[in-house]
Amino acid sequence: MSLRRIWQAGLFELFGAVRSRRAIVVMVLYLAASLLGMSGTISALGRMETEISSALKLDTAENARSGVVSRTLWQSQSFQCIARNIVGDSPVYDDICGRHPAELIYAWLTFLAVPMLTILMAANRIADDVRSGAVRYMITRVSRLEWALGKYVGNALLMAAGLAVGAFAAWCVAAFRLSGADIAALLPSMFGWAAKAWALSLAWLGLALGISLMVHTGAKATSLGMSALVAFSAASASLERFGSRVLALGRLFPSSVEGSLWRASFAPVASASAWLVILGLLYLTAGYAFFARRDAR
């Protein structure tokens, strides 16, 4: 196995997405999700501000733009007590305490949407190539494993670009609709959350491609991928109700380390990101075990 050939196969996948305009569809998808999510978030915060201004009898002219009262609310002791009870994890709460509400809701929406977007974008990539016969031309230049890993690398690069575009678009909406001197400071934070969401997406990408390696049509791969997403979410939530021995099985699901991505310190984020990559490669390897025995020609 050659890392150079894997990288070349990944670039071929990426450039192929650009030539076929699939990259544009992916960018538009991430862009629309970010714009709608941030716009909806700010509208909700605006309605919250209206209610708070009315209750506290504040001057609405001073708070005409969203982002003033909501931040004051977030920093209040009463609201922080409520937030601590919701989060539960004290280290996570300590790291997110004081951050702008719009930033946190954007991160939550991104973490929520990334698994589904990843499966919709990538689940058909291998199955469609096998069905159309395009794979036979690729595996004359690289091995099957190198080709599968190249698919993983190429789609990971495409998702990184999509998340970066989405993060910048979300910040543009925030800069336009929110007030306050700290809006410029939101930009690196948005990119930081996008990078963490990308790490989360790598596990789901491995799952999507692993399923795609086992089936013959892209539609079936997408359907099974969405079913797996629901099953993984339900299984992960169910395992939290059992003891530590059973809970260890939860490490096989991406959501088991998602909480660590909310941390601000490097060590827990790096550890969670590394485990997500391992999970993605594990899922991909499981699918490859089936693909290696199939007739791809």
Side-chain angles (χ1 to χ4, degrees):
M1 185 173 66
S2 169
L3 293 178
R4 182 178 63 85
R5 288 197 294 269
I6 293 173
W7 178 251
Q8 289 175 342
L11 292 180
F12 183 83
E13 172 72 9
L14 179 61
F15 294 150
V18 174
R19 288 193 302 269
S20 65
R21 299 181 182 177
R22 188 173 71 90
I24 297 177
V25 175
V26 172
M27 295 299 166
V28 170
L29 190 62
Y30 278 99
L31 185 64
S34 296
L35 290 175
L36 292 175
M38 180 55 71
S39 181
T41 295
I42 294 175
S43 296
L45 290 176
R47 288 191 292 270
M48 181 190 299
E49 289 176 357
T50 301
E51 295 297 328
I52 295 172
S53 297
S54 177
L56 299 180
K57 302 185 183 303
L58 298 177
D59 185 1
T60 56
E62 295 180 359
N63 303 299
R65 299 182 69 194
S66 300
V68 179
V69 180
S70 58
R71 184 168 179 82
T72 302
L73 174 66
W74 173 254
Q75 293 175 338
S76 68
Q77 183 176 1
S78 299
F79 191 84
Q80 289 182 9
C81 289
I82 296 173
R84 182 183 291 274
N85 291 331
I86 293 175
V87 174
D89 190 342
S90 182
V92 172
Y93 172 79
D94 292 340
D95 285 343
I96 67 174
C97 182
R99 290 180 176 267
H100 199 287
E103 170 194 343
L104 296 176
I105 297 178
Y106 164 77
W108 179 76
L109 290 173
T110 303
F111 288 165
L112 184 66
V114 154
M116 182 177 63
L117 291 176
T118 301
I119 290 174
L120 290 175
M121 183 198 77
N124 66 331
R125 293 307 304 147
I126 292 177
D128 282 347
D129 282 356
V130 174
R131 183 176 179 84
S132 66
V135 62
R136 70 184 64 179
Y137 301 105
M138 291 300 301
I139 60 177
T140 60
R141 299 174 175 85
V142 297
S143 69
R144 292 188 179 206
L145 181 58
E146 290 168 344
W147 178 70
L149 290 172
K151 285 283 188 180
Y152 183 85
V153 171
N155 283 282
L157 293 174
L158 183 58
M159 288 191 303
L163 284 167
V165 169
F168 181 73
W171 177 80
C172 288
V173 174
F176 179 74
R177 296 191 57 185
L178 293 176
S179 61
D182 58 347
I183 295 302
L186 283 179
L187 183 58
S189 297
M190 292 295 192
F191 282 118
W193 291 116
K196 294 177 180 180
W198 182 65
L200 177 63
S201 73
L202 295 178
W204 294 104
L205 176 61
L207 176 65
L209 294 178
I211 293 174
S212 194
L213 284 165
M214 294 188 289
V215 300
H216 294 83
T217 64
K220 187 175 182 179
T222 302
S223 177
L224 289 175
M226 295 304 295
S227 299
L229 171 60
V230 175
F232 275 33
S233 300
S236 179
S238 299
L239 288 174
E240 293 180 358
R241 301 176 180 272
F242 297 96
S244 58
R245 292 184 178 180
V246 179
L247 189 60
L249 295 175
R251 297 285 294 178
L252 295 175
F253 304 112
S255 57
S256 64
V257 295
E258 187 174 331
S260 297
L261 296 178
W262 288 91
R263 299 292 306 278
S265 51
F266 176 78
V269 174
S271 176
S273 300
W275 181 246
L276 289 167
V277 173
I278 292 172
L279 281 180
L281 294 177
L282 179 64
Y283 300 148
L284 185 67
T285 302
Y288 176 76
F290 286 86
F291 180 71
R293 295 172 175 81
R294 287 174 53 187
D295 182 10
R297 297 177 184 273

